Structures are given as structure tokens and as C-alpha cells.
Amino acid sequence: MNDENLISANGLGMIRGARVLFGEVSLFAKPGEAIVLRGSNGAGKTTLLRILAGLTQPAAGDVTRAAEVHWLGHRDGLKPHESPVEHLSLWARAWGGGATDPVIERMGLTRPKDVPAALLSAGQRRRTALGRLLLVDRPVWLLDEPFSALDTNGRDLLLELIAGHRASGGAVIAAIHGEAGFTASREVVL
Amino acid sequence: MSPAPIRAAFAQAFREAWAGGAGVLLPASFFAGAAMLVPFAVGSDSDQLAAIGGGVLWVALALASLVTMERLFQADLEDGALDLWVQADVPMSAIAAAKVAAHWLVSGLPLALLSPLLGLMLQMEPDRLPPAMLAYGIGGLAFFLWGAFGAALSATVRRGGLLIALIALPFYVPTAIFGAMSLQAEVPMPLIETLFLSAATLFSMAVAPFGIAAALRLATD
């Protein structure tokens, strides 16, 4: 395993309205590492993750991405009429990923795989969204509250996915409330 | 650059527009309803209707094109799909163009196909109906592109329908002018007017996708 940063940020600062959301935030993630972002509601964890994902422009500082990133926000990205199979195969096509059947099975979505998202539970939609992480291999996972809406099984499943991703040389940066459930390499407090 | 994400964006937008059937029926009923009210409002005198029929349909088409615009990008923004598209490995303008094309196919093309029927009702000459249908098809595409630009700019605004109309309608003017001229000419399907109408649409095809892409980047920021 090499020791190059997969992603690093230097002196990030963000302004929302008339107030400074955060300033001088620097972080990096190497292969196999997991960074946990901490902070109270409204501290800017989501904004920081969006900056890392390249979705939002920071007011100060810069981000260097040496590898592709998966962004998983708190919104699942499913259309109301879309079933888990349709959703995953759409993004598999869009991203040039492989077969969706193994992903469906891995995420425990075999039973509701043809049910429109409007009729799925929040946890099932979450599992579908998490399934996107497995469609294409991208070394950096940026996860915003990934455990929300998941049941105990789902939580264990996601912990396995994160452990597997780290073992294969990926990095995870996650905003998490409460106990992480995995050993964080570092914590960044906003 | 692989075309796969663009095809996927098209497929998703097509299914989205088709779902529930409102994508086709809502603009079509609005278009037909607006045209149908005209004889009641201005009187059923044949000559008068024939004189204004073509123009009335242009106005009805312009307004009908805006009916389903509000949710075009707002839904993507709210459910998080826009974040994923912004991150796809192709320019956002290509994704935007694919989405508008799918939306036009479901909501816009049926309007043009419906126009001969409404034209007949408004006493337009029968031999003028097919060329008029083509003109409504060409002009309608420009309406949808500019409408989508307005929709992208107001994606973050709740109940932004009015804003979409305010942004888009000024861009509709060239198409309305050349479209109406092409119907008022001596011969059906006059060359110069049709070329100008097509040029207005080509201009919107060349410019609007980039404007939409820039607006969507701002919306996700």
C-alpha cells in the first residue's frame, strides 16, 4: 500500500450569508484510512463534504483529489417511480459499472427490488443509495450521515462495506453523529 | 467522453416525464383548452378566426410549454439526483440537453402533432395545416429550451413558476415573430421565414444547454 494522499484539503473556509461557517480546515486521507467529521447541527459538515466532492466551491483554500470520489448525501437520489433495480442499473450505465444483481443481493434488496421508491421504506431507499457505492470502484467515499434510517442489519452491512473498502485500499470520509462503529484514523471537529 | 451517461440521463428524464401520464396530458390539455376558448372570447366569425388562428396557437403553445417546466430540474435538486449528474463524467451541458430533449419529446412534440386539429377548429386553411405543424414543432423546441433555462435558474426557488415565465418569455419573442410571419406569408411554408424560425431554434440549441448547465452548477453550489 502506498502512502500517497487520495484526497487532501488545505485551509478550507466557507461563508454562509454573513457568517463564517468554518475556516482553516485541513484534512487528508490515505489508502485504508477513515476520517470522521464531528460537529453540532449546522456546523458545516455537509458543506465540507460537498466541497470535498467538488459540488460546492469553497470561499478559501483548495482541494486536491488524486482519485475518483463517491458522494453520498443525505438525499438518496431516487425518483419516486424508480425501483432499486432500475435505479442501480441506470447509474451502472451512466458510470460504466458492472452487473447490478450482485449489488442488489449484497444490499439485501432482493425482495423489494422491483418496488417503486415511493413505496419503499426510508431504510430500503438508503440501502439502494448505498448500493451505488458498489457499482463502480472509486477510492474515496464521502458519506454524509450514512447510517441514518438504517436498521441494525443495515448498520452492520454498511460497517462491513466500509471495512472492505478500507481493506482494498480505499478511504472513507464520513460525517457521523454518535458512535462511528468503526475505528477512525482521525477525527476532524468543526 | 462516453455517450452512456447522456443516454442514461435521457432515459431517466423520459421515464420521469412519462410517469403518471401528466407529462403528456397536462400541456396538451392546456394547449387545446386555451385554443378552444378563443372562439368563445372573440366570436365565431370565420374570417376573423382565420386571421388570428395561427397567432393564437403560437401564444397557446408558448404558455403550454411552461406548464410542466417547474419540476424539470427542481425535482432533481430536491431528491439529490442533480448532485449525481453534476458528478457524471460528461459535461453538464450534454446532460442538460439530453434532459430537455426527453422532456420535449414527451411534452412538446404532442403539442405540435395536436396543432392541425386545433388549427382546423380555428378556421385555418387545410393546406396550411401541415406546414404550420412543422413550424410549431420547430418553434416549440426553442420554447422548451428557453423554458428549461428559466427552470434551471429558478430551480432553488419554491413555487418558481412565475419566475420561469419572466425569465423565459423574452427569449420566446424571436420565435413568436418568425413563427407568426411564416404563417402569414402568401404561400404556405415560405422559405425565408422558415429559415429564420429554424435559425432562432438552432440558436437556442447552441446556447441554452450551456446556460442551463451553468445555472444548475449554481443551484448545487
Side-chain angles (χ1 to χ4, degrees):
Chain A
M1 222 179 271
N2 65 27
D3 239 18
E4 295 291 306
N5 285 339
L6 289 173
I7 186 166
S8 62
N10 216 333
L12 289 181
M14 194 63 195
I15 298 166
R16 276 284 186 244
R19 128 192 129 88
V20 176
L21 196 56
F22 52 78
E24 290 298 316
V25 174
S26 299
L27 58 84
F28 61 91
K30 295 181 189 298
E33 289 188 330
I35 317 293
V36 173
L37 303 184
R38 298 283 184 187
S40 50
N41 296 130
K45 300 187 293 296
T46 298
T47 306
L48 177 57
L49 281 170
R50 291 183 71 88
I51 290 173
L52 293 175
L55 290 165
T56 298
Q57 292 302 313
D62 51 71
V63 178
T64 313
R65 291 178 209 85
E68 282 194 297
V69 301
H70 261 306
W71 155 251
L72 193 89
H74 58 92
R75 289 170 298 195
D76 294 321
L78 274 77
K79 299 289 171 189
H81 61 87
E82 228 175 17
S83 70
V85 167
E86 286 171 342
H87 180 77
L88 291 173
S89 56
L90 177 98
W91 288 104
R93 271 183 289 146
W95 290 338
T100 52
D101 285 350
V103 178
I104 291 277
E105 202 173 318
R106 183 87 175 87
M107 297 313 297
L109 291 165
T110 314
R111 205 161 57 89
K113 68 175 179 170
D114 292 316
V115 178
L119 303 177
L120 293 176
S121 75
Q124 287 169 327
R125 284 201 294 274
R126 197 68 192 159
R127 282 170 184 245
T128 309
L130 288 168
R132 288 201 306 267
L133 299 173
L134 305 177
L135 288 174
V136 290
D137 182 32
R138 294 180 178 174
V140 181
W141 289 4
L142 303 171
L143 313 175
D144 191 8
E145 302 288 349
F147 293 107
S148 66
L150 288 177
D151 56 15
T152 321
N153 283 340
R155 211 184 143 79
D156 293 344
L157 175 60
L158 178 53
L159 288 175
E160 275 174 37
L161 294 183
I162 289 175
H165 182 63
R166 290 173 71 180
S168 64
V172 175
I173 302 179
I176 290 172
H177 280 294
E179 201 189 331
F182 56 83
T183 325
S185 318
R186 275 181 303 286
E187 289 202 355
V188 174
V189 181
L190 288 180
Chain B
M1 181 177 102
S2 138
I6 302 170
R7 281 206 299 267
F10 181 87
Q12 190 191 42
F14 190 84
R15 278 208 307 262
E16 188 76 352
W18 194 261
V24 188
L25 291 179
L26 188 61
S29 352
F30 189 90
F31 186 47
M36 201 187 68
L37 277 178
V38 171
F40 294 110
V42 303
S44 54
D45 177 52
S46 300
D47 293 339
Q48 195 184 6
L49 276 183
I52 63 168
V56 163
L57 284 190
W58 275 112
V59 175
L61 178 68
L63 299 179
S65 72
L66 292 171
V67 176
T68 50
M69 240 5 131
E70 188 173 344
R71 295 298 294 165
L72 181 58
F73 297 113
Q74 201 170 59
D76 278 0
L77 186 70
E78 284 170 1
D79 62 27
L82 199 58
D83 287 348
L84 302 174
W85 285 121
V86 169
Q87 287 199 314
D89 206 14
V90 286
M92 195 54 203
S93 51
I95 299 290
K99 285 181 71 72
V100 178
H103 184 60
W104 175 78
L105 208 60
V106 172
S107 299
L109 190 58
L111 301 180
L113 298 178
L114 194 62
S115 68
L117 197 66
L118 300 175
L120 211 56
M121 207 175 71
L122 295 172
Q123 307 291 336
M124 286 169 72
E125 293 165 38
D127 62 331
R128 294 231 168 185
L129 293 176
M133 180 169 83
L134 186 68
Y136 292 129
I138 296 171
L141 183 55
F143 288 167
F144 270 72
L145 280 155
W146 291 127
F149 176 54
L153 276 175
S154 53
T156 50
V157 183
R158 292 257 156 217
R159 323 262 324 144
L162 173 68
L163 197 56
I164 298 177
L166 283 175
I167 295 168
L169 285 175
F171 290 99
Y172 284 16
V173 172
T175 299
I177 291 173
F178 297 127
M181 280 169 70
S182 79
L183 296 187
Q184 287 159 357
E186 296 290 316
V187 290
M189 197 77 190
L191 181 66
I192 300 294
E193 283 84 351
T194 307
L195 283 179
F196 269 109
L197 177 65
S198 309
T201 299
L202 285 173
F203 178 71
S204 71
M205 288 167 79
V207 174
F210 295 99
I212 296 169
L216 292 182
R217 280 188 189 288
L218 274 181
T220 52
D221 193 274

